[in-house]
Amino acid sequence: MKKEKNENLIAQNKKAHHDYFIKDTYEAGIALTGTEIKSVRARRINLRDGYVQVINGSAFLENVHISEYKQGNRYNHEPLRSRRLLLHKKQLQRLAKDQSTRGIAIIPLKVYLKHGFAKVLIGVGQGKKKYDKRESIKKRDQERELRRQYKI
């Protein structure tokens, strides 16, 4: 997959790679209302506790907080509502199969703008145990120390 520019990156779930082994990723569009897209462009979105649920052949982004738009007055949206994800039928079938597997979670990794549309990168991940998390922290620290030594 081609890398996006950082200026298009809106939000990122940094804890996802710490808590899960990410096996597969999918890019999906998000069905947003007018005030929601304005809040997203203002970077007022939080992915931390979000997850994806497949219900009746449709994927929904759950528990993702998009703050209310300040100038939205009575047309404002509910911050924690379910948002429909736009995916191909085969991708939805794969996600439904993965969701039914025990120990697998479907989580949002990034939200970014692509050609003016809000996209979300969702990952199919398997939860890490405590010893896996400690091992990944140890590995990251070793890599950081190696880079520091070779830089000097």
Side-chain angles (χ1 to χ4, degrees):
M1 186 175 162
K2 209 164 80 172
K3 278 209 162 188
E4 305 89 30
K5 295 179 184 176
N6 280 341
E7 65 220 20
N8 292 335
L9 185 64
I10 302 295
Q12 190 170 6
N13 189 351
K14 294 180 181 180
K15 290 279 283 180
H17 288 284
H18 178 73
D19 293 339
Y20 299 96
F21 293 113
I22 304 298
K23 295 180 177 184
D24 215 358
T25 59
Y26 298 96
E27 181 184 63
I30 315 172
L32 297 174
T33 63
T35 55
E36 284 177 328
I37 189 65
K38 289 181 180 203
S39 291
V40 166
R41 287 191 174 135
R43 299 184 185 326
R44 310 269 300 149
I45 182 170
N46 185 355
L47 299 174
R48 190 166 298 133
D49 297 325
Y51 61 95
V52 175
Q53 201 169 27
V54 181
I55 303 168
N56 294 335
S58 295
F60 293 94
L61 190 60
E62 304 280 344
N63 212 22
V64 171
H65 188 278
I66 298 178
S67 298
E68 288 186 347
Y69 186 59
K70 288 180 183 173
Q71 289 82 26
N73 61 43
R74 68 177 187 209
Y75 299 109
N76 247 328
H77 59 277
E78 189 179 324
L80 283 174
R81 77 174 185 90
S82 298
R83 292 162 182 95
R84 189 160 183 258
L85 293 179
L86 309 172
L87 289 159
H88 293 286
K89 193 182 233 181
K90 291 202 185 231
Q91 291 174 332
L92 284 169
Q93 290 168 351
R94 274 188 249 136
L95 284 176
K97 187 177 125 194
D98 288 338
Q99 181 182 343
S100 64
T101 307
R102 185 182 167 122
I104 299 293
I106 307 168
I107 51 174
L109 302 174
K110 294 179 185 178
V111 173
Y112 51 92
L113 294 177
K114 187 174 181 182
H115 305 296
F117 296 102
K119 302 284 183 177
V120 63
L121 185 70
I122 57 176
V124 177
Q126 184 171 12
K128 286 185 180 180
K129 303 285 186 202
K130 201 167 209 164
Y131 57 85
D132 291 327
K133 292 178 187 179
R134 285 195 300 259
E135 190 177 302
S136 62
I137 291 170
K138 184 177 172 184
K139 187 177 170 184
R140 184 184 66 213
D141 289 343
Q142 288 174 346
E143 288 174 0
R144 185 182 300 141
E145 194 61 40
L146 277 173
R147 278 186 272 141
R148 190 178 294 143
Q149 286 177 354
Y150 285 117
K151 190 175 181 182
I152 297 173

